[in-house]
Amino acid sequence: MPIDLKPEEVSSILRQQIADFKMEAQTYEIGTVLSVGDGIARVHGLANVMAGELVSFASGATGMALNLEEDNVGVAIFGDDISVREGDEVRRTETIASVPAGKGLIGRIVDALGNPIDGGPPLQDVTPSVIEVKAPGIIDRQDVKEPLQTGIKVIDALTPIGRGQRELIIGDRKTGKTALAVDTIINQRGQNVHCFYVAIGQKRSTVVQVYETLKKYGAMEYTTIVAATASDPAPMQFLAPYSGCAMAEHYRDNGGHALIVYDDLTKQAQAYRQLSLLLRRPPGREAYPGDIFYLHSRLLERAAKMSDERGGGSLTALPIIETQANDVSAYIPTNVISITDGQIFLESNLFNSGQRPAINPGISVSRVGGDAQIKAMKQTAGSLRLDLAQYRELAAFSQFASDLDASTRRQLERGARLMEVIKQGIREPLPVAKQIVIIYAGTKGYLDEVPVERVRDFERGLVDALDSTYSDLIDLINDQQALTDEVKDRIDRALKDYQRVFNENL
Amino acid sequence: MFIKTSKAARRYARAIFQLAVEKEAEAEVRADFQALAGLLRDSAEFANLVHDPAHHVHRQQEAIQKLFGERAHPVVLDSLLFLAGRGRLAELPFICEHIEKLHCERNAILRARIATAAPLDDEQLTAIRERLEKRFGKTVEAAAQIDPSLLGGFKVRVGDAVLDFSIRTQLQRLRESMINA
């Protein structure tokens, strides 16, 4: 399209601008770089600089003042430190780090400072938002009361997550932690929950994989990815969770709902350890600095369910922690376990024996989500938890006994089928009503006659049938939200009906 | 402006300065240290004597006695001999800086560096100094400096603060405002 602009107009606009330009003195405070290395600059001067303030170097690089000492200031440099030289001028900016927040971020991939890195156009419709803010106070909050449906049967039944909760996902490498989080994001489609996926210290190829998956399932329409990959400097990896949180808070504070996944906080702790050691802060346990607990607690406290006066918005956090050889008594895992409102344990031996998602239902807990479960699920899941606990006990015991009495054998048979029921394929989230029917079938003994290896087929067929033949049953459960006698009766009839069809096709 | 600093230098400087104040010889001591700082800059031999650890303590002390025995204030002479005895003579440049700083703090003096593209005459310099004194409410000691890259106007540095009236910065600002408009 030709731009219709005459040279005379251009010069008149320029003339106007020059005429409007006011000669003003620039006043600023400066310091001098004493030494620079490993992404850290020591600066002399800057006497009035504040902790956490951004400073700009003569080369154009920016940094954050982290250590204020008697005769120098320790500055973490964002980006490349090669351009910064000894003797360079450092200028105060009198601002603290902020990132863009708002609608313009939806569907984008940005770095820890909010700059788009997906090759797309500049961000539009965003407002700057300070990265480090205090968590909402006590009066501003209320109890977690609405469910955040993950679409994963075992989580929604046994360790339910409410909107505004912090639920930790913990496990060794390759146990399906990220898959669990991504499935949860995919299941938020149409739930009016804005999702943020913060990738910290990951491979760029992994981030692309997550992006492609989310795009394939239409989840990028309500998701933002914040990426500080392994090749980004430590200060960026340290900042990324706070940046993502600041972006997500925009929804929380405006009465909306947001979900944020920190994948993973172990890497963030390591980045912060690197920064701290280079700043010569004293090392403590596992060489982490003394304020490593505060690093995570102040981040996770920002997840909240706001009171109705404050709009009733929520921010749900799913932090991820990677353990080494299932050791949850290491420093960072114990810290984050104690901060969060419960944890989902993933175990590699479960994963390898085909129990996927590899969640250990025995030690996974949710401290607040139970209040947020719909009543029907609460009624169904109660007996599931009991049956599974009994099964685990008997399964260990029965390995030594050759012949068992009938009731024990029945419990073992039931347990084995329930273990099949809580299996679920990746990217196959289920709506809560269907979950209820399936778990009901398991706990009420409708699966006892089905061979263990056919349970998954039974379930698949049942899900299809619930979509077609019994779709009014799903509507009824969604409508009533509880297992009333009417609902129970309808489920029983439907299950008997389906059982007959299934057996005929056997 | 000093770049590097040492805690030891700060402590020695404070002790020497307090002693000078007690003996009511602040101005003389400061002048002597100013002269010493000048000497360190100008005389390679004196700098060598101060910095080279190969010189024996007694030889250093002998030299100091010979050089300054007659000329320096007793407080300064004793300080130098003491520093030599403690093997801290290498801190002398920093001590000079700190004495200067302490003197300025005590007497509410601000040291300003005024950079201009072209040399200033005395009248202009005084005018700028008076404006600064009014602004900061302190006595200002100004040092002029030529920096052609400023293009015009002037730039004052007082401590960590910079007041920038230079044409270079104004042009940069004009450029930014046109890009952002």
Side-chain angles (χ1 to χ4, degrees):
Chain A
M1 193 182 86
I3 300 168
D4 189 23
L5 201 62
K6 295 182 187 72
E8 304 87 73
E9 286 181 55
V10 176
S11 37
S12 95
I13 290 170
L14 289 180
R15 196 159 50 233
Q16 188 60 39
Q17 276 188 358
I18 293 168
D20 288 347
F21 183 76
K22 286 190 188 67
M23 275 286 280
E24 272 172 1
Q26 292 275 93
T27 58
Y28 46 82
E29 281 178 50
I30 58 165
T32 327
V33 176
L34 289 178
S35 66
V36 59
D38 302 318
I40 302 287
R42 297 257 160 201
V43 177
H44 176 77
L46 292 177
N48 298 313
V49 76
M50 295 178 290
E53 184 177 329
L54 290 181
V55 295
S56 69
F57 292 90
S59 65
T62 53
M64 185 191 251
L66 286 176
N67 263 28
L68 309 182
E69 285 166 33
E70 195 180 354
D71 47 17
N72 71 74
V73 177
V75 176
I77 302 167
F78 296 138
D80 208 0
D81 67 358
I82 301 241
S83 61
V84 178
R85 288 155 187 276
E86 186 192 337
D88 271 4
E89 192 174 274
V90 190
R91 213 181 269 202
R92 271 186 73 180
T93 62
E94 301 186 22
T95 52
I96 49 177
S98 61
V99 289
K103 287 212 159 47
L105 281 168
I106 295 170
R108 305 299 300 266
I109 309 178
V110 296
D111 68 6
L113 297 175
N115 306 311
I117 49 172
D118 51 5
L123 297 176
Q124 306 250 317
D125 198 12
V126 287
T127 45
S129 166
V130 173
I131 283 182
E132 288 254 15
V133 292
K134 254 180 89 178
I138 295 164
I139 305 297
D140 299 332
R141 294 172 183 246
Q142 66 173 315
D143 268 4
V144 172
K145 58 177 188 187
E146 304 140 286
L148 183 110
Q149 303 293 355
T150 63
I152 297 158
K153 280 173 286 180
V154 59
I155 295 179
D156 286 344
L158 298 178
T159 52
I161 299 170
R163 291 187 179 179
Q165 188 178 345
R166 294 114 5 123
E167 182 84 1
L168 169 67
I169 300 173
I170 186 169
D172 276 12
R173 72 205 157 78
K174 302 301 284 173
T175 51
K177 301 184 296 296
T178 303
L180 216 57
V182 169
D183 279 5
T184 306
I185 291 178
I186 290 171
N187 196 48
Q188 300 313 309
R189 193 179 171 76
Q191 307 286 316
N192 197 22
V193 175
H194 293 273
C195 300
F196 292 83
Y197 178 83
V198 184
I200 309 146
Q202 294 188 32
K203 287 177 292 190
R204 297 207 158 173
S205 61
T206 318
V207 179
V208 171
Q209 246 170 30
V210 170
Y211 172 73
E212 292 296 340
T213 311
L214 290 174
K215 207 164 90 177
K216 192 171 146 200
Y217 289 88
M220 280 314 286
E221 288 161 27
Y222 51 88
T223 304
T224 306
I225 296 179
V226 181
T229 54
S231 55
D232 286 322
M236 301 286 251
Q237 294 185 37
F238 152 66
L239 268 188
Y242 298 102
S243 309
C245 195
M247 295 170 190
E249 276 171 340
H250 171 80
Y251 295 101
R252 180 197 72 189
D253 296 338
N254 290 306
H257 299 280
L259 166 73
I260 187 162
V261 176
Y262 304 111
D263 194 2
D264 62 76
L265 289 186
T266 320
K267 299 265 175 25
Q268 193 219 3
Q270 285 166 355
Y272 188 56
R273 171 169 67 184
Q274 177 187 331
L275 264 182
S276 296
L277 291 174
L278 290 169
L279 285 165
R280 299 186 167 273
R281 293 182 182 172
R285 182 173 161 192
E286 288 176 28
Y288 287 106
D291 62 342
I292 194 80
F293 186 87
Y294 184 53
L295 176 82
H296 289 146
S297 65
R298 72 173 189 263
L299 172 70
L300 293 169
E301 269 299 296
R302 288 162 70 177
K305 167 75 188 163
M306 305 300 279
S307 68
D308 293 333
E309 291 82 54
R310 297 291 304 270
S314 75
L315 172 58
T316 312
L318 291 180
I320 294 178
I321 289 284
E322 186 184 294
T323 52
Q324 304 290 330
N326 270 328
D327 180 18
V328 292
S329 58
Y331 194 23
I332 302 303
T334 43
N335 275 356
V336 182
I337 286 172
S338 76
I339 294 164
T340 50
D341 307 311
Q343 61 274 350
I344 294 166
F345 275 99
L346 298 170
E347 287 183 355
S348 40
N349 50 357
L350 284 176
F351 188 86
N352 294 332
S353 64
Q355 182 71 38
R356 295 176 198 178
I359 295 170
N360 181 337
I363 49 174
S364 299
V365 292
S366 170
R367 291 183 199 125
V368 294
D371 305 337
Q373 244 173 344
I374 70 166
K375 202 166 171 222
M377 181 54 108
K378 226 186 279 186
Q379 287 165 314
T380 325
S383 49
L384 174 66
R385 183 187 304 278
L386 208 66
D387 283 345
L388 280 174
Q390 281 172 345
Y391 169 69
R392 267 195 307 280
E393 227 168 73
L394 285 175
F397 173 72
S398 67
Q399 295 193 334
F400 303 103
S402 50
D403 58 340
L404 302 155
D405 62 272
S407 77
T408 313
R409 198 160 41 239
R410 212 165 32 243
Q411 275 188 329
L412 280 172
E413 298 276 297
R414 172 75 58 84
R417 280 163 184 79
L418 289 178
M419 289 302 276
E420 287 296 311
V421 165
I422 61 173
K423 281 185 187 171
Q424 193 168 350
I426 193 166
R427 322 279 178 250
E428 287 174 12
L430 278 177
V432 65
K434 287 182 190 168
Q435 293 183 19
I436 290 169
V437 178
I438 293 162
I439 295 168
Y440 187 90
T443 54
K444 295 292 179 191
Y446 286 97
L447 297 175
D448 291 0
E449 305 302 320
V450 182
V452 174
E453 62 279 5
R454 297 271 295 156
V455 169
R456 308 266 348 247
D457 294 333
F458 183 93
E459 183 193 326
R460 246 182 303 256
L462 181 58
V463 170
D464 287 341
L466 286 170
D467 274 333
S468 50
T469 326
Y470 312 113
S471 59
D472 50 334
L473 175 61
I474 296 297
D475 295 338
L476 184 73
I477 297 172
N478 283 334
D479 184 50
Q480 303 247 333
Q481 297 273 308
L483 284 189
T484 55
D485 288 338
E486 187 202 352
V487 174
K488 267 191 203 161
D489 185 50
R490 290 283 302 277
I491 299 180
D492 282 329
R493 267 193 289 151
L495 283 172
K496 276 188 195 124
D497 207 27
Y498 172 72
Q499 211 174 17
R500 213 182 45 246
V501 175
F502 184 75
N503 286 334
E504 274 167 14
N505 293 341
L506 208 64
Chain B
M1 285 303 130
F2 59 93
I3 293 289
K4 278 208 152 158
T5 181
S6 100
K7 280 191 178 133
R10 194 158 46 221
R11 286 176 188 145
Y12 278 107
R14 196 169 299 146
I16 294 167
F17 189 72
Q18 272 167 5
L19 193 66
V21 172
E22 265 171 43
K23 301 233 158 144
E24 288 172 10
E26 191 193 328
E28 292 97 316
V29 170
R30 181 212 175 195
D32 279 355
F33 272 103
Q34 266 183 334
L36 277 172
L39 198 58
L40 276 169
R41 264 197 306 276
D42 300 337
S43 155
E45 278 128 358
F46 183 60
N48 181 29
L49 175 78
V50 165
H51 288 294
D52 195 341
H55 292 296
H56 196 266
V57 172
H58 294 297
R59 279 210 42 218
Q60 280 181 329
Q61 282 177 331
E62 249 173 57
I64 288 165
Q65 189 73 47
K66 261 188 211 150
L67 279 169
F68 306 113
E70 304 294 310
R71 278 173 280 189
H73 189 276
V75 172
V76 179
L77 183 65
D78 290 347
S79 307
L80 288 174
L81 292 172
F82 179 68
L83 285 172
R86 285 294 183 93
R88 289 284 194 181
L89 215 50
E91 306 280 354
L92 191 58
F94 307 129
I95 294 175
C96 293
E97 286 286 354
H98 277 293
I99 296 268
E100 190 62 27
K101 225 172 111 184
L102 288 167
H103 172 79
C104 291
E105 260 170 41
R106 195 177 135 82
N107 297 300
I109 294 171
L110 276 183
R111 283 201 294 169
R113 276 200 313 188
I114 302 170
T116 46
L120 290 174
D121 57 36
D122 282 349
E123 202 175 314
Q124 288 169 316
L125 204 60
T126 319
I128 294 174
R129 219 187 61 213
E130 274 165 8
R131 288 286 292 277
L132 289 174
E133 286 183 350
K134 226 164 132 189
R135 180 178 176 139
F136 290 102
K138 285 183 174 178
T139 320
V140 171
E141 278 182 13
Q145 200 182 8
I146 308 294
D147 182 359
S149 76
L150 293 178
L151 302 177
F154 64 94
K155 188 170 151 184
V156 185
R157 177 160 180 187
V158 183
D160 286 342
V162 176
L163 305 171
D164 198 335
F165 296 87
S166 71
I167 298 295
R168 184 180 61 184
T169 309
Q170 301 295 336
L171 286 175
Q172 262 168 13
R173 275 188 53 222
L174 182 62
R175 187 174 167 229
E176 276 162 27
S177 78
M178 286 173 108
I179 289 171
N180 292 333

